[in-house]
């Protein structure tokens, strides 16, 4: 492409300070260095993690920064040594890389791998604005018309896939879906409870259904979410406000001793405890998906664990990113995985701050 090797000037939604609105700015995006790829972002989702960081609640948040980690785009140019990508490829940036060589990637028990905190692997950034360097976010920075990512933080996907839909596989859908299939490994005929019926919760319900769960109980304080939860596969819906006793006791009574699997999709430590205590003794497993505010701690009576319950967490649904995301896109293309149904609004890039305000499921902002 004509822009290869040159600095690109484009629009980006810049977070200059915590607690302040995003500002649409013209930024400079430097060419990719060895092992890096520059891409043109076609669409990006708005994830709660982006708004959480922007709010200033994340003590690890650094500013100024280009947020966004749920995007999809087209490769514009590649750095020296990059062989797996070429200009024109359809791709999804990944906030959990997969190098294939480190002890994490070689271990089948985990999908974790650390991203650099706000910088590329060489310790520098590719964004600048008004003479100031801008930090990267989760190795992705999809709130920009162009971005640069490490080669190991990118998945090549089917060029026929609608990028304004499959961008959502870069975080929320994959996380909830994989929590059921990979982390919990829900079994045929089991009983599950999903706490929180936003995007993560709906994806977890979808995973439980695909795994063959016989009963899936959706739990939320907002009854307006019940209809879509049932469309995704919930067999029962419960509003804790309709009961006088704790929700875990309600679920234990409903399920003859507790559920086989529970999923906390809110990021609330009190709900995390309730989800664990709703599990059946001897074998119940509870998966923490939601991210709680910094400084908060989980707690329960030790006897809950002594009597056979398991408490686990998950990141990106346990999927090894580079190898798994293309397969998920394929499932979507073959109509085996819901994605379109998660989109609540589609707005132009200039209204990205407005998208954050209206977000009730997952919101897609088109950049082109």
């Amino acid at each position: 492409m004509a822009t290869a090797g040159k600095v690109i000037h484009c629009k980006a939604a810049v977070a200059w300070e915590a607690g302040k609105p995003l500002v649409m700015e013209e930024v400079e995006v430097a060419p990719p260095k060895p092992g890096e790829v520059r891409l043109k972002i076609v669409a990006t989702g708005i994830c709660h993690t982006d708004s959480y960081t922007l709010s200033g609640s994340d003590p690890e948040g650094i500013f100024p920064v280009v947020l966004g980690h749920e995007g999809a785009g087209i490769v514009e140019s590649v750095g020296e040594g990059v062989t797996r990508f070429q200009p024109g490829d359809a791709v999804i940036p990944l906030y959990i890389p997969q190098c294939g060589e480190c002890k994490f990637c070689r271990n089948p028990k985990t999908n974790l791998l650390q991203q650099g905190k706000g910088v590329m692997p060489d310790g520098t950034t590719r964004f600048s604005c008004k003479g100031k360097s801008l930090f990267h976010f989760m190795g992705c920075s999809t709130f920009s018309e162009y971005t640069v990512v490490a080669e190991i933080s990118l998945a090549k996907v089917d060029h026929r896939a609608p990028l304004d839909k499959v961008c959502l596989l870069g975080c929320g859908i994959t996380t909830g879906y994989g929590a059921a299939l990979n982390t919990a490994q829900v079994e045929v005929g089991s009983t599950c409870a999903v706490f929180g019926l936003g995007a993560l919760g709906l994806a977890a319900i979808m995973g439980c259904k695909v795994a063959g769960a016989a009963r899936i109980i959706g739990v939320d304080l907002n009854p307006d979410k019940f209809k879509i939860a049932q469309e995704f596969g919930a067999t029962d819906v419960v509003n804790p406000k309709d009961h006088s006793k704790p929700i875990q006791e309600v679920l234990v009574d409903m399920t003859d001793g507790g559920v086989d699997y529970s999923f906390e999709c809110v990021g609330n430590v009190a709900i995390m405890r309730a989800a664990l205590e709703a599990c059946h003794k001897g074998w119940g497993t509870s998966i923490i998906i939601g991210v709680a505010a910094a400084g908060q701690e989980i707690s329960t009576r030790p006897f809950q664990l002594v009597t056979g319950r398991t408490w686990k967490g998950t990141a990106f649904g346990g999927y090894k990113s580079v190898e798994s995301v293309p397969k998920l896109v394929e499932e979507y293309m073959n109509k085996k995985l819901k994605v379109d149904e998660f989109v609540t609004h589609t707005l132009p890039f200039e209204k990205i701050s407005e998208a954050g305000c209206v977000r009730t499921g997952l919101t897609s902002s088109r950049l082109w």
Side-chain angles (χ1 to χ4, degrees):
M1 293 186 178
T3 50
K6 301 176 182 177
V7 173
I8 288 178
H9 296 257
C10 67
K11 291 185 293 184
V14 177
W16 288 106
E17 298 179 57
K20 298 292 181 65
L22 298 174
V23 180
M24 196 63 63
E25 302 276 16
E26 180 178 286
V27 302
E28 296 82 44
V29 184
K33 292 187 177 181
E36 299 175 358
V37 178
R38 186 163 63 183
L39 54 144
K40 173 182 177 180
I41 295 293
V42 173
T44 184
I46 310 294
C47 179
H48 182 265
T49 305
D50 300 310
S51 57
Y52 173 70
T53 301
L54 180 61
S55 72
S57 299
D58 183 358
E60 296 186 359
I62 51 177
F63 299 86
V65 63
V66 178
L67 297 170
H69 65 286
E70 203 171 52
I74 304 295
V75 172
E76 175 269 339
S77 61
V78 300
E80 181 183 346
V82 174
T83 59
R84 293 190 295 114
F85 301 96
Q86 60 184 6
D89 286 345
V91 291
I92 294 178
L94 307 166
Y95 73 88
I96 293 183
Q98 185 185 356
C99 70
E101 300 174 356
C102 70
K103 65 179 181 180
F104 289 95
C105 288
R106 294 197 308 268
N107 193 322
K109 296 179 181 179
T110 186
N111 66 330
L112 298 179
L113 187 62
Q114 188 76 27
Q115 287 273 23
K117 185 179 178 182
V119 293
M120 298 299 290
D122 69 350
T124 64
T125 80
R126 304 292 167 267
F127 291 108
S128 60
C129 180
K130 299 177 181 178
K132 296 182 179 180
S133 294
L134 306 176
F135 288 109
H136 295 251
F137 183 67
M138 297 178 70
C140 298
S141 290
T142 59
F143 289 1
S144 174
E145 291 178 323
Y146 285 86
T147 189
V148 178
V149 304
E151 180 182 17
I152 61 174
S153 300
L154 201 61
K156 181 179 177 180
V157 300
D158 190 330
H159 70 278
R160 299 169 300 169
L163 299 182
D164 61 338
K165 301 297 192 300
V166 298
C167 65
L168 302 180
L169 293 173
C171 185
I173 296 174
T174 302
T175 299
Y177 188 62
L181 295 177
N182 302 326
T183 309
Q185 298 185 358
V186 170
E187 299 158 319
V188 173
S190 58
T191 297
C192 304
V194 177
F195 291 74
L197 302 179
L200 285 176
L202 294 177
I205 288 172
M206 183 167 62
C208 292
K209 182 179 180 180
V210 168
R215 193 174 184 188
I216 306 170
I217 305 169
V219 182
D220 204 289
L221 296 172
N222 183 356
D224 292 342
K225 297 182 179 181
F226 290 167
K227 183 175 184 294
I228 191 169
Q230 291 169 319
E231 292 172 357
F232 269 77
T235 57
D236 305 75
V237 288
V238 179
N239 187 336
K241 292 191 292 187
D242 293 339
H243 301 270
S244 58
K245 55 186 177 182
I247 186 61
Q248 54 266 52
E249 294 181 20
V250 172
L251 294 175
V252 167
D253 291 344
M254 286 177 63
T255 57
D256 188 27
V259 300
D260 301 308
Y261 301 96
S262 69
F263 302 86
E264 198 281 345
C265 305
V266 180
N268 180 297
V269 294
I271 299 174
M272 292 174 187
R273 177 171 185 164
L276 174 74
E277 295 178 359
C279 288
H280 202 291
K281 70 178 180 181
W283 62 78
T285 297
S286 186
I287 310 298
I288 296 174
I289 308 175
V291 178
Q296 295 194 10
E297 297 181 352
I298 55 174
S299 65
T300 190
R301 292 181 295 116
F303 197 65
Q304 291 288 329
L305 303 179
V306 170
T307 51
R309 297 171 185 83
T310 300
W311 220 350
K312 301 175 73 174
T314 188
F316 204 53
Y319 283 108
K320 287 188 179 288
S321 58
V322 170
E323 65 189 57
S324 299
V325 168
K327 296 175 183 177
L328 291 171
V329 171
E330 184 178 346
E331 284 188 37
Y332 163 71
M333 297 293 284
N334 292 329
K335 302 187 184 304
K336 296 179 180 179
L337 176 67
K338 292 180 186 291
V339 174
D340 297 10
E341 294 83 353
F342 284 87
V343 178
T344 58
H345 302 76
T346 300
L347 299 171
F349 186 39
E350 292 78 8
K351 294 186 178 181
I352 193 166
S353 293
E354 181 179 331
C357 294
V358 300
R359 182 184 181 279
T360 55
L362 288 173
T363 303
S364 175
S365 284
R366 287 195 64 89
L367 278 70
W368 301 91

